[in-house]
Each structure stands twice: as structure tokens, then as C-alpha cells.
Amino acid sequence: MKNRKFVNPVFPHFVHGADYNPEQWVKTKNIWDDDIRLMKEAGCNEMTLGIFSWSVIEPSEGVFDFSFLDEIIERIYSSGGRVVLSTPSGARPRWLSEKYPEVLRVSRWGQRYHFGERHNHCFTSPAYREKVKIINAKLAERYSHHPAVIAWHVSNEYGGECYCPLCTEAFRNYLRNKFENDIEKLNDAYWTTFWSHRYSDFSQIEPPSELSDMGIHGLNLDWRRFVTEQTIDFMREEIAPLKKANPSIPVTTNMMYDFDGLDYFKFRDYIDFAAWDCYPKWHSGDNAETAENAAFWHDFYRSLKMKPFFMMESTPSQVNWHEYNKLKRPGMDTLSSLQAIAHGSDSVQYFQWRKSRGSSEKFHGAVVGHDGTNDTRVFRSVRKTGEILSLIDEITGSMVESEAAIIMDWENRWALSDSQGFARYDKKYTETLYSFHKFFWSHGINCDIVHPEDDLSKYKLVVAPMMYLINQVSADNLKKYVREGGILISTYQLGMVDENDLCYLGRTPGCGLDELFGIWREETDTLYPDQKGRVKFGGQEYSVIDIAEVIHSSHADVLAEFSADYYSSFPALTSNRYGKGKALYIAFRDNGDFINDLMSVIISDAKIKKNIPSDGSLPYGITAHTRTDGENIYLFVANYGEKNTVILPLGKPYYDIIGGKTISDVLLKPFDFFILKTER
Ligand code: GAL
């Protein structure tokens, strides 16, 4: 039986499109004519409209003019295209800020911003919420039954914080609610007797900033939780009129790569599918590293809803906001677009369709440049991607199945980076996640990125690095997973603080994790960047960098020991049988060699499937990922290496969908890829 989940079943195809701002060209409609013709030529079947159109569709308060949207939607649809329609709250018109100054954000230094830029409204402001509700309702009433509209794109890249009186009061209410109106509970949770920072009333609480207090870690954490909650609350109000008008149009919002400011896991209950804006720094150094990093985030956004997502933005050539804006080399655009598909995206979308003529994004890459023609390298490459997407359309809606997962947690990320001690300014949390992900990536193994409270039972192997902050629910979840037969790997800094950022008392890792891992931690050592420690494992020596823990085994097997410094012969790697599974603990950071050798043993122990059989890793820069519709397996093999050409045996015959023949090995030149098919 086929198992496919479409973002919108009325359009069960790959979406190939772009952010399109035709309102910038309303006075030159001949450009619109060119656009409609060129979209077809480029094999684009979708345009994302209306993201920054507010000042055109509501030029003054309560005066609406949808004529440009009416016309362009009709024109796109009648030439065979579809539309993802945006709500315009990411950038507001000037009149709105003039009449309702409360919509303008206040900085952490207490100054109210003037009108300008974008993504800078107060999420609490009732006036902003009301105006957004009105315009969203109008858009929904007018377009949500239009056959062109396949999805809603709510706002644009939510983010940022506001320190205005409305937000401050909302934060206080959030805390009143959380601590049941009992300031003593808050004092206990925040350890405020330290430095005499006790509160006697909720009205004394201010958002943490350089002007107030940044040393109360529990407060910092709750502020970040509040910012996420307030943003989601705003988003839910945005979504309500859309769903009211037509509940069957799926809703998403475009998220940002590795953005730290919002706990994206919390968004997943309120969006129908995930979408993200993908701008890696291709060709900036080691391309395989860049590809692995982008792959991590593709895996994250897919795992958010455990189904196909959209790559809502990417550049076909270059961005304008990196420090150095290098062009994608020939082949990289199609390769990186197909990378998204390999990891479970059902779209390849660009920012942007046509380059603006003026303002800050006039040199940002686009499918159509200022020359306005199809006669460019970039246009041809987009057209090629479009042709490939139409050849592989049967893959739309298929799923990624993973036997391995990495746990990631925003609250942990926030608490870790807030902690003073260790390497004070760089805890390397995401880098550590990437180092484990890189192992899976370079061995052609699918991997999900999950939350510590997610159901882990389907995985043979779970890696939970640096889980410094952990609550009882997550700890119990890990224990259950291992008890029932899972293999769990964790690392240094596990279980140091609770959900209020208070240190666990007694032996750590806390929450009973000392029992799960069979170890306890006595000390944590931080090395200077140019120093190295040593560990012995399986007859080999490995370097220790950054961090090492002095731990004791209470009932775990010691598999590796430190071999330098005063903790020489103390455990560096332990393994503990627990129920039907086992829990391994790594007490130090290494430069990757140790992870590679350890994980190689573990994946064969756990019988984790590689997508292409190989001894060790795939050749440098090569990776292999799969999707399945339940009946077929689709294998994506790609070469991100800039220089190496590789002949790779596939281990069995596959049908090469693009080449139209059955093959058993592939010749991969730099930036080559294959999309292959076999019966499951
Ligand atoms: C995104 C944003 C787009 C555009 C793009 C440029 O972050 O959503 O509107 O500015 O960056 O790369």
C-alpha cells in the first residue's frame, strides 16, 4: 500500500516556484507578461504572493484594493500555475505605525523604534493583532476558495523581541500564571536570594536586559519561553480567520535555518506543514561540511511534522546578506535543490522570482535578473531543476524512514549558552549535534532530529548530546526508550540543571540518569583552545578537545579511559545495560575521529541500515538518502565534493529515473547526483 502524505492533496506534485513581488512592477505591466511567459519556460508551477504587499492592498486604513492580487492570481492560474498566498504581517504600511505607535517595537535599551525596515512589530499589541486579523480575514474571504491557492504562508520569518510596556505586562502575567500567583514560588525557582535579587511582587519583574538583570538564569529562560509563546499566540490569531474561511487550505510559516530565538518545536502543533528558508554558504570552505550542515536542518524541518515539508526559500545564485556573497557554481543550484527533495521536501522555491530594481535586495539572486531574459546561466539551471522535478514527480508525498535520531532541544540550547563556566562564550551545542549528524550523513544513513519528549520507540539508535538541561519527563522518556531495547548515546554535560536552570543536587546526571548510565560525575574540566587531552579506546589513542569530565562508573562497563592528566585511567566512555537496551556515555569532546570509530561499532551492533552498503564511510563528499512511498524506495546519491570523481557500486540494480535505464553503479563527477528507484 502506498504511504504518501501530500502537503495539499488537491495538488499532489512537487512545487517549483518562488517569492514573487509583482506589486513592485504594477506600473510596467509588460514585465508581468514576461513573468507569466518565463515562469512556464522555467518549469515553475507556483508563486508565493503577498508577503510584503500590505501597503498596496490597504493603502490607507480600511481602504482595500485587491485589484493587483486578483489579476496576478488569475493570470498565474490560467497559465497553469498555483499560488502560495501570504498574510502581510511581516511588514506593515506606514499609516499603521503613525496611527497606532504601540505597534512599533521597543528595544532592550528601552527605545521605541521608528517606522522602517520589517519584521519589527510588537507581537502583543492589540492594535496590531486587530489590523492583522482584519486584513487576513479579507484575504481569506476573497481567495481561500480560489483553485489557485494551495497553501497559506503566514507572515514572514517570525522573530525578535519587544520590551514595550505591553510585552512587559504580558510577561508578568505569563509568570503569574506559571507560578500560580505566588511570588515565593518564583523566588525559589529563580534562586533570587543570590545577590539579594528577591522579588516581593510580580509587578517588579522586568524582561531581562543589560538595563535590568541578566544574571537570573531562570528568568532568562522564562523570557525566551515567553517570547516563543507570545509569537505563537500572535500566529494563532493570524491563522484563525484563514481556517475559518476554508479549513482545508494548509497553513505554514517560513522558519529560519538554525535560528536560536524561537523554540520551533513549539510551532509544530499549529502549522499543517513545516517550511524553511535555506541559505547555506556554498563554496565557502569544505563543501561537504556545508552540505552536511544544510542536511541537518532539512532533517530537522522534516522531523518537525514527520512528513514532507517545503524549502520555501533558497537562492538560485547568491544572497546579498552573507559577509561575502559568492555565486553558486554551475551545478550547485540543481544539486542543492535536489538535496532538499532527498531529505523530504516537496518543494524547491526560490527567493526570488524577479530581482527588485531598487532598495536593499536589488543585488540578491533571482530566477530572472535585471536583464529580464531567459538567456542566463541561472535561468537555465532553474529550468533544468524544473525538468528534473517533473521527471521525478511520483516521489511527491513519499516519506523518509529513519532508524537513527538525534535529540535537539531549544531550552537546553538557551540554558547552555547562558551558563557561565565551561568555555564561557562558545558551548558548541549545535556543532556537537552536527558532528554526530555528520557521521550518519557521510555513511548514507537517514537520521531524524527529534525533541527529548518525542516517542523514540521506532529508533534503533538515539544520540542525545550535551543534554545539560533536562526535565523529569524527558529523562523518563530516555529511560523508557532504553528499557524497551533502544541504544542511547549521550555525552558530557548531561543532566546538570532542571527546567528552571537550577543545578541538580546529589549525584549527577540528575533525574535518575545516573542510574540509566551507571555513572556519576565528579568534576568538569575545560581545556584552553590550543590544548589537547588524550583517551585510549580499542588500542588507539584519540585527542580530547574543549571539555573532559571526571566521572566514576557505579555499575557501567568502562570501554575507554583518559590517558593523560590527573584523571588518566578515569572512564572516558562507558556502557550500561538497562532493561533490554544500553546507554553509552562519552565524557569528552573529540575532533571527530573518536565519534567516527565509536559510531561505526555502534551502528553495526544496532544493525542500522546504510542506504548503500559500504565498508566505513562513503567516499569524501558523497552521500545517499532515501524516501519511500511504501512500495518503492527512492535513492538519492550526490557528490558535494568540488574535485573528486567517484565510481560507486550501489550494491544492487536500481532504475535510474532521469537516465531511463537500470544500473548497478554510478559515476559521480563533482556536483553530480542520481535519483534511483527500486521495489521496497
Ligand atoms: C529571507 C526573507 C526574504 C528575503 C531573503 C533574502 O530571510 O524571508 O524576504 O529577504 O531572506 O535572502
Side-chain angles (χ1 to χ4, degrees):
M1 248 256 296
K2 285 208 170 164
N3 174 23
R4 301 207 278 168
K5 286 191 183 163
F6 299 110
V7 163
N8 187 341
V10 305
F11 192 71
H13 303 288
F14 282 129
V15 162
H16 186 219
D19 279 19
Y20 179 37
N21 304 302
E23 66 273 31
Q24 293 176 16
W25 305 93
V26 274
K27 293 180 185 153
T28 43
K29 288 278 187 72
N30 57 316
I31 298 264
W32 287 23
D33 299 338
D34 292 347
D35 285 337
I36 298 292
R37 176 176 50 79
L38 290 168
M39 281 170 200
K40 271 202 121 151
E41 266 186 51
C44 284
N45 58 14
E46 178 275 342
M47 288 290 129
T48 306
L49 296 173
I51 307 177
F52 301 116
S53 308
W54 198 340
S55 68
V56 176
I57 56 184
E58 192 180 359
S60 56
E61 187 172 12
V63 176
F64 297 94
D65 176 3
F66 293 102
S67 54
F68 107 85
L69 265 180
D70 288 352
E71 185 180 341
I72 200 70
I73 291 176
E74 221 39 67
R75 291 185 70 172
I76 292 170
Y77 187 61
S78 57
S79 75
R82 296 291 187 279
V83 162
V84 170
L85 193 56
S86 298
T87 65
S89 67
R92 59 187 176 278
R94 225 172 257 278
W95 59 258
L96 208 156
S97 313
E98 273 170 12
K99 176 141 185 218
Y100 307 97
E102 69 169 47
V103 307
L104 297 163
R105 257 181 215 174
V106 170
S107 78
R108 55 198 293 124
W109 299 102
Q111 292 156 316
R112 199 173 282 279
Y113 289 101
H114 297 195
F115 178 81
E117 301 295 337
R118 60 175 181 171
H119 302 164
N120 53 9
H121 44 274
C122 167
F123 285 118
T124 307
S125 156
Y128 200 57
R129 288 180 177 224
E130 179 62 16
K131 290 296 157 194
V132 169
K133 194 164 88 189
I134 293 170
I135 190 103
N136 287 9
K138 295 256 180 220
L139 285 165
E141 280 153 22
R142 198 170 185 95
Y143 300 114
S144 68
H145 290 278
H146 194 294
V149 177
I150 54 167
W152 285 109
H153 168 302
V154 180
S155 199
N156 195 63
E157 296 189 335
Y158 286 122
E161 301 166 352
C162 174
Y163 294 75
C164 76
L166 292 168
C167 286
T168 303
E169 196 47 36
F171 181 46
R172 289 176 186 147
N173 286 335
Y174 169 86
L175 296 178
R176 284 186 182 106
N177 188 31
K178 174 169 177 172
F179 293 103
E180 295 161 330
N181 236 343
D182 182 347
I183 199 68
E184 217 27 50
K185 281 193 181 154
L186 177 142
N187 279 317
D188 290 346
Y190 288 180
W191 209 250
T192 51
T193 310
F194 178 78
W195 287 353
S196 269
H197 285 195
R198 295 179 58 74
Y199 295 96
S200 54
D201 194 276
F202 283 89
S203 62
Q204 297 167 329
I205 290 167
E206 286 186 58
S209 80
E210 291 80 352
L211 288 178
S212 57
D213 213 336
M214 291 177 67
I216 304 179
H217 288 177
L219 178 78
N220 298 347
L221 200 52
D222 273 344
W223 169 251
R224 286 178 169 262
R225 289 179 176 128
F226 163 77
V227 170
T228 292
E229 188 168 298
Q230 199 71 348
T231 308
I232 289 176
D233 193 56
F234 180 87
M235 180 181 80
R236 292 175 68 185
E237 283 198 18
E238 282 225 48
I239 293 172
L242 313 179
K243 286 290 180 190
K244 187 169 168 214
N246 184 356
S248 68
I249 304 287
V251 173
T252 192
T253 188
N254 52 337
M255 307 194 196
M256 291 176 276
Y257 218 99
D258 57 353
F259 185 60
D260 177 61
L262 295 169
D263 181 351
Y264 280 156
F265 276 117
K266 295 257 159 48
F267 282 68
R268 62 180 158 180
D269 293 340
Y270 308 104
I271 52 175
D272 296 308
F273 67 103
W276 76 291
D277 299 344
C278 175
Y279 295 109
K281 291 185 178 157
W282 295 110
H283 319 293
S284 60
D286 182 342
N287 249 340
E289 294 273 336
T290 310
E292 179 283 318
N293 188 268
F296 179 94
W297 291 103
H298 282 307
D299 284 340
F300 167 75
Y301 288 103
R302 179 195 67 249
S303 303
L304 210 51
K305 298 286 288 185
M306 286 297 169
K307 66 176 203 186
F309 61 95
F310 273 13
M311 178 171 71
M312 189 65 89
E313 292 180 24
S314 62
T315 177
S317 55
Q318 68 205 136
V319 296
N320 67 337
W321 50 269
H322 289 166
E323 197 174 356
Y324 303 100
N325 296 290
K326 188 161 182 166
L327 285 167
K328 279 177 165 172
R329 285 342 197 205
M332 181 47 84
D333 181 44
T334 299
L335 178 64
S336 57
S337 298
L338 294 173
Q339 180 187 35
I341 303 292
H343 286 267
S345 175
D346 270 5
S347 87
V348 171
Q349 290 158 284
Y350 310 98
F351 182 88
Q352 50 193 328
W353 169 254
R354 180 182 280 274
K355 257 182 206 186
S356 320
R357 187 162 184 204
S359 295
S360 65
E361 286 179 340
K362 61 181 177 293
F363 295 124
H364 193 290
V367 180
V368 179
H370 294 140
D371 62 291
T373 75
N374 60 2
D375 191 16
T376 61
R377 178 182 75 93
V378 170
F379 191 91
R380 282 188 286 276
S381 124
V382 168
R383 184 166 54 205
K384 180 179 169 196
T385 305
E387 283 162 9
I388 292 169
L389 290 176
S390 66
L391 286 173
I392 62 167
D393 199 47
E394 65 180 78
I395 301 175
T396 321
S398 63
M399 311 287 279
V400 171
E401 289 178 354
S402 306
E403 294 178 333
I406 295 174
I407 290 183
M408 154 151 177
D409 181 18
W410 256 266
E411 298 198 352
N412 175 53
R413 186 181 179 186
W414 293 334
L416 246 179
S417 75
D418 213 17
S419 67
Q420 295 187 24
F422 317 111
R424 179 138 176 220
Y425 300 110
D426 197 1
K427 304 298 190 293
K428 299 195 183 164
Y429 176 56
T430 48
E431 289 82 344
T432 306
L433 301 182
Y434 302 153
S435 67
F436 284 97
H437 186 262
K438 186 175 172 190
F439 175 85
F440 295 122
W441 185 87
S442 59
H443 284 70
I445 295 171
N446 295 351
C447 172
D448 290 345
I449 312 296
V450 297
H451 186 269
E453 292 176 24
D454 283 352
D455 177 12
L456 304 173
S457 59
K458 67 176 169 186
Y459 301 112
K460 291 180 176 169
L461 172 62
V462 171
V463 187
M466 297 177 77
M467 288 295 297
Y468 164 80
L469 176 149
I470 198 157
N471 63 23
Q472 194 63 55
V473 177
S474 306
D476 290 346
N477 195 35
L478 296 183
K479 284 197 208 162
K480 175 167 179 281
Y481 167 67
V482 180
R483 198 182 312 117
E484 290 172 0
I487 299 182
L488 174 68
I489 299 180
S490 192
T491 72
Y492 46 90
Q493 290 177 299
L494 173 71
M496 298 187 107
V497 301
D498 69 7
E499 61 273 25
N500 291 317
D501 214 336
L502 291 178
C503 289
Y504 282 110
L505 299 179
R507 287 191 163 170
T508 63
C511 276
L513 292 172
D514 55 335
E515 187 211 341
L516 171 61
F517 287 90
I519 55 131
W520 62 278
R521 171 192 305 118
E522 186 177 342
E523 292 182 291
T524 304
D525 192 18
T526 305
L527 306 187
Y528 287 93
D530 56 349
Q531 295 178 337
K532 287 200 167 54
R534 283 203 311 275
V535 155
K536 250 198 185 146
F537 171 56
Q540 282 210 55
E541 282 233 311
Y542 296 85
S543 291
V544 174
I545 56 167
D546 301 336
I547 189 159
E549 284 185 341
V550 182
I551 61 165
H552 301 268
S553 162
S554 44
H555 50 274
D557 298 328
V558 177
L559 305 185
E561 290 177 350
F562 288 100
S563 53
D565 223 309
Y566 79 92
Y567 37 84
S568 186
S569 84
F570 276 69
L573 170 70
T574 59
S575 174
N576 188 43
R577 284 242 144 251
Y578 184 84
K580 293 192 209 138
K582 64 180 170 187
L584 289 98
Y585 190 85
I586 305 171
F588 66 101
R589 183 178 291 148
D590 91 305
N591 59 11
D593 294 344
F594 174 80
I595 288 184
N596 192 66
D597 292 354
L598 170 67
M599 297 284 284
S600 300
V601 178
I602 301 291
I603 57 157
S604 87
D605 198 22
K607 301 194 174 49
I608 302 261
K609 203 174 110 274
K610 291 180 175 177
N611 293 322
I612 294 178
S614 65
D615 292 333
S617 68
L618 293 166
Y620 167 79
I622 310 287
T623 193
H625 287 87
T626 57
R627 292 178 67 160
T628 179
D629 61 6
E631 289 178 2
N632 303 292
I633 303 236
Y634 299 99
L635 173 66
F636 295 76
V637 189
N639 182 4
Y640 293 89
E642 305 242 12
K643 297 194 181 89
N644 51 331
T645 293
V646 170
I647 296 175
L648 189 69
L650 298 168
K652 65 181 213 182
Y654 281 86
Y655 180 69
D656 170 3
I657 304 180
I658 299 165
K661 56 178 188 296
T662 299
I663 52 176
S664 296
D665 46 43
V666 288
L667 170 71
L668 291 152
K669 295 197 283 304
F671 305 164
D672 269 357
F673 58 86
F674 282 82
I675 303 171
L676 307 154
K677 172 178 171 175
T678 184
E679 274 179 20
R680 191 182 162 104

Tab-separated table of all heavy atoms in Angstrom, residues 19 51-52 118-119 156-157 254 256 277 279 313 315 319-321 351 361 364, ligand 1:
chain	number	residue	atom	x	y	z
A	19	ASP	N	9.245	33.306	-4.328
A	19	ASP	CA	8.628	34.537	-3.830
A	19	ASP	C	8.532	35.483	-5.018
A	19	ASP	O	9.522	35.699	-5.733
A	19	ASP	CB	9.528	35.207	-2.784
A	19	ASP	CG	9.390	34.598	-1.401
A	19	ASP	OD1	8.891	33.462	-1.302
A	19	ASP	OD2	9.800	35.255	-0.426
A	51	ILE	N	3.622	38.668	0.319
A	51	ILE	CA	4.371	38.701	1.584
A	51	ILE	C	4.552	40.141	2.069
A	51	ILE	O	4.400	40.430	3.248
A	51	ILE	CB	5.753	38.024	1.434
A	51	ILE	CG1	5.591	36.619	0.866
A	51	ILE	CG2	6.472	37.968	2.784
A	51	ILE	CD1	6.892	35.894	0.619
A	52	PHE	N	4.873	41.015	1.128
A	52	PHE	CA	5.141	42.412	1.531
A	52	PHE	C	4.194	43.386	0.825
A	52	PHE	O	4.577	44.481	0.443
A	52	PHE	CB	6.610	42.753	1.249
A	52	PHE	CG	7.565	41.852	1.984
A	52	PHE	CD1	8.429	41.007	1.315
A	52	PHE	CD2	7.569	41.835	3.379
A	52	PHE	CE1	9.299	40.163	2.006
A	52	PHE	CE2	8.434	40.992	4.088
A	52	PHE	CZ	9.296	40.159	3.397
A	118	ARG	N	11.513	45.892	8.566
A	118	ARG	CA	10.394	44.938	8.559
A	118	ARG	C	10.559	43.989	9.743
A	118	ARG	O	11.544	44.082	10.471
A	118	ARG	CB	10.387	44.141	7.251
A	118	ARG	CG	11.663	43.357	7.048
A	118	ARG	CD	11.634	42.455	5.827
A	118	ARG	NE	12.896	41.719	5.743
A	118	ARG	CZ	13.142	40.739	4.903
A	118	ARG	NH1	12.216	40.367	4.044
A	118	ARG	NH2	14.288	40.112	4.898
A	119	HIS	N	9.630	43.086	9.920
A	119	HIS	CA	9.710	42.070	10.986
A	119	HIS	C	9.962	42.723	12.341
A	119	HIS	O	10.754	42.218	13.132
A	119	HIS	CB	10.861	41.082	10.730
A	119	HIS	CG	10.766	40.354	9.428
A	119	HIS	ND1	11.818	39.698	8.870
A	119	HIS	CD2	9.747	40.175	8.581
A	119	HIS	CE1	11.459	39.146	7.724
A	119	HIS	NE2	10.194	39.429	7.523
A	156	ASN	N	6.185	36.398	7.727
A	156	ASN	CA	7.479	36.066	7.143
A	156	ASN	C	8.514	36.011	8.249
A	156	ASN	O	8.697	36.982	8.984
A	156	ASN	CB	7.897	37.113	6.110
A	156	ASN	CG	9.041	36.613	5.244
A	156	ASN	OD1	8.880	35.629	4.525
A	156	ASN	ND2	10.189	37.253	5.342
A	157	GLU	N	9.120	34.860	8.391
A	157	GLU	CA	10.241	34.697	9.313
A	157	GLU	C	10.004	35.386	10.658
A	157	GLU	O	10.710	36.336	11.029
A	157	GLU	CB	11.531	35.197	8.664
A	157	GLU	CG	11.919	34.375	7.456
A	157	GLU	CD	13.302	34.692	6.922
A	157	GLU	OE1	13.787	35.814	7.142
A	157	GLU	OE2	13.896	33.807	6.280
A	254	ASN	N	7.347	30.412	7.334
A	254	ASN	CA	8.720	30.079	6.929
A	254	ASN	C	9.705	30.330	8.072
A	254	ASN	O	9.805	31.416	8.602
A	254	ASN	CB	9.131	30.822	5.651
A	254	ASN	CG	8.915	32.317	5.716
A	254	ASN	OD1	8.111	32.814	6.492
A	254	ASN	ND2	9.656	33.059	4.913
A	256	MET	N	13.639	29.846	9.959
A	256	MET	CA	14.974	30.279	9.521
A	256	MET	C	16.067	29.350	9.999
A	256	MET	O	16.470	29.395	11.160
A	256	MET	CB	15.260	31.669	10.095
A	256	MET	CG	14.422	32.758	9.513
A	256	MET	SD	14.791	34.310	10.355
A	256	MET	CE	13.731	34.190	11.775
A	277	ASP	N	13.633	28.499	5.169
A	277	ASP	CA	14.399	29.275	4.204
A	277	ASP	C	15.858	28.839	4.312
A	277	ASP	O	16.476	28.974	5.369
A	277	ASP	CB	14.251	30.767	4.510
A	277	ASP	CG	12.792	31.197	4.397
A	277	ASP	OD1	11.999	30.444	3.803
A	277	ASP	OD2	12.444	32.273	4.918
A	279	TYR	N	19.690	28.923	3.227
A	279	TYR	CA	20.746	29.720	2.586
A	279	TYR	C	22.138	29.313	3.068
A	279	TYR	O	22.821	30.083	3.757
A	279	TYR	CB	20.519	31.203	2.893
A	279	TYR	CG	19.247	31.773	2.287
A	279	TYR	CD1	18.156	32.100	3.091
A	279	TYR	CD2	19.156	31.982	0.918
A	279	TYR	CE1	17.000	32.627	2.532
A	279	TYR	CE2	17.996	32.511	0.356
A	279	TYR	CZ	16.925	32.825	1.171
A	279	TYR	OH	15.783	33.341	0.617
A	313	GLU	N	12.309	29.036	0.663
A	313	GLU	CA	13.211	29.990	0.005
A	313	GLU	C	14.589	29.361	-0.146
A	313	GLU	O	15.047	28.631	0.743
A	313	GLU	CB	13.381	31.272	0.836
A	313	GLU	CG	12.173	32.153	0.952
A	313	GLU	CD	12.470	33.391	1.794
A	313	GLU	OE1	13.640	33.800	1.899
A	313	GLU	OE2	11.513	33.935	2.372
A	315	THR	N	18.361	30.531	-2.726
A	315	THR	CA	18.732	31.418	-3.826
A	315	THR	C	19.196	30.583	-5.020
A	315	THR	O	19.915	29.600	-4.836
A	315	THR	CB	19.843	32.412	-3.435
A	315	THR	OG1	20.184	33.174	-4.599
A	315	THR	CG2	21.079	31.716	-2.901
A	319	VAL	N	23.131	35.178	-2.293
A	319	VAL	CA	22.332	36.063	-1.453
A	319	VAL	C	23.013	37.423	-1.425
A	319	VAL	O	24.027	37.636	-2.100
A	319	VAL	CB	22.139	35.505	-0.022
A	319	VAL	CG1	21.344	34.221	-0.039
A	319	VAL	CG2	23.462	35.316	0.687
A	320	ASN	N	22.470	38.342	-0.639
A	320	ASN	CA	23.107	39.655	-0.541
A	320	ASN	C	23.469	39.994	0.895
A	320	ASN	O	23.964	41.069	1.163
A	320	ASN	CB	22.172	40.745	-1.080
A	320	ASN	CG	20.956	40.910	-0.192
A	320	ASN	OD1	20.577	40.002	0.548
A	320	ASN	ND2	20.319	42.062	-0.251
A	321	TRP	N	23.239	39.052	1.813
A	321	TRP	CA	23.413	39.394	3.229
A	321	TRP	C	24.488	38.579	3.928
A	321	TRP	O	24.747	38.794	5.106
A	321	TRP	CB	22.078	39.275	3.971
A	321	TRP	CG	21.356	37.988	3.741
A	321	TRP	CD1	20.427	37.749	2.755
A	321	TRP	CD2	21.494	36.758	4.458
A	321	TRP	NE1	19.982	36.450	2.819
A	321	TRP	CE2	20.616	35.822	3.861
A	321	TRP	CE3	22.257	36.344	5.547
A	321	TRP	CZ2	20.487	34.510	4.310
A	321	TRP	CZ3	22.121	35.030	5.996
A	321	TRP	CH2	21.248	34.134	5.382
A	351	PHE	N	13.985	32.481	-3.373
A	351	PHE	CA	13.851	33.912	-3.186
A	351	PHE	C	14.857	34.500	-4.169
A	351	PHE	O	16.051	34.340	-3.967
A	351	PHE	CB	14.178	34.385	-1.773
A	351	PHE	CG	13.973	35.864	-1.666
A	351	PHE	CD1	12.738	36.382	-1.325
A	351	PHE	CD2	14.989	36.748	-2.000
A	351	PHE	CE1	12.531	37.753	-1.288
A	351	PHE	CE2	14.773	38.113	-1.970
A	351	PHE	CZ	13.549	38.612	-1.613
A	361	GLU	N	17.517	44.771	-1.548
A	361	GLU	CA	17.706	43.430	-2.115
A	361	GLU	C	17.929	43.449	-3.625
A	361	GLU	O	17.745	42.424	-4.299
A	361	GLU	CB	16.539	42.531	-1.709
A	361	GLU	CG	16.664	42.152	-0.236
A	361	GLU	CD	15.562	41.273	0.304
A	361	GLU	OE1	14.480	41.239	-0.313
A	361	GLU	OE2	15.771	40.647	1.353
A	364	HIS	N	20.270	40.778	-4.728
A	364	HIS	CA	20.042	39.399	-4.294
A	364	HIS	C	19.712	38.548	-5.515
A	364	HIS	O	19.011	38.988	-6.429
A	364	HIS	CB	18.872	39.359	-3.307
A	364	HIS	CG	18.752	38.060	-2.573
A	364	HIS	ND1	18.353	36.888	-3.189
A	364	HIS	CD2	18.986	37.738	-1.279
A	364	HIS	CE1	18.340	35.910	-2.297
A	364	HIS	NE2	18.726	36.400	-1.129
B	1	GAL	C1	14.738	35.797	3.829
B	1	GAL	C2	13.461	36.611	3.760
B	1	GAL	C3	13.204	37.103	2.351
B	1	GAL	C4	14.439	37.680	1.756
B	1	GAL	C5	15.545	36.670	1.810
B	1	GAL	C6	16.838	37.102	1.204
B	1	GAL	O1	15.250	35.712	5.102
B	1	GAL	O2	12.368	35.849	4.184
B	1	GAL	O3	12.158	38.041	2.386
B	1	GAL	O4	14.807	38.838	2.445
B	1	GAL	O5	15.796	36.349	3.145
B	1	GAL	O6	17.792	36.070	1.290
